[in-house]
Amino acid sequence: MATEVLVGDSFTDAGNNPVADYIAVWDGTAWSGLLSGGTTGLNGGVRALALQGSDLLAGGDFFNAGGNPLADFIARYGLTRVYLPLVTR
């Protein structure tokens, strides 16, 4: 079973990867961008991450997420690789 960690903040180039800006994925070996082969579509820092089903919600200091002029401060990404729960009670 694969395990990945998603992180968000005001960083750019996580692990020296130029597409790992603001949200990055750690696979246990290297950092990568959230989307395969591309950027997250954000132009500012991430302050909060949440999961809603298989969607990742990101909130932060960005405008026009994914190039959408109506997508300010919150973005939603459809994830196909969610392995939850990470913590069980």
Side-chain angles (χ1 to χ4, degrees):
M1 177 170 91
T3 301
E4 296 173 325
V5 176
L6 299 167
V7 297
D9 204 344
S10 295
F11 58 81
T12 56
D13 300 342
N16 292 320
N17 186 334
V19 298
D21 296 341
Y22 309 116
I23 298 176
V25 180
W26 175 254
D27 67 5
T29 304
W31 290 101
S32 63
L34 178 63
L35 305 176
S36 61
T39 179
T40 58
L42 302 180
N43 59 10
V46 171
R47 303 285 179 215
L49 294 173
L51 284 171
Q52 182 180 37
S54 62
D55 289 342
L56 176 70
L57 305 175
D61 302 322
F62 49 83
F63 297 94
N64 303 331
N68 183 339
L70 301 176
D72 296 341
F73 310 113
I74 191 161
R76 182 177 70 192
Y77 299 90
L79 300 178
T80 58
R81 55 183 190 207
V82 176
Y83 305 100
L84 289 179
L86 295 176
V87 177
T88 58
R89 294 179 188 217

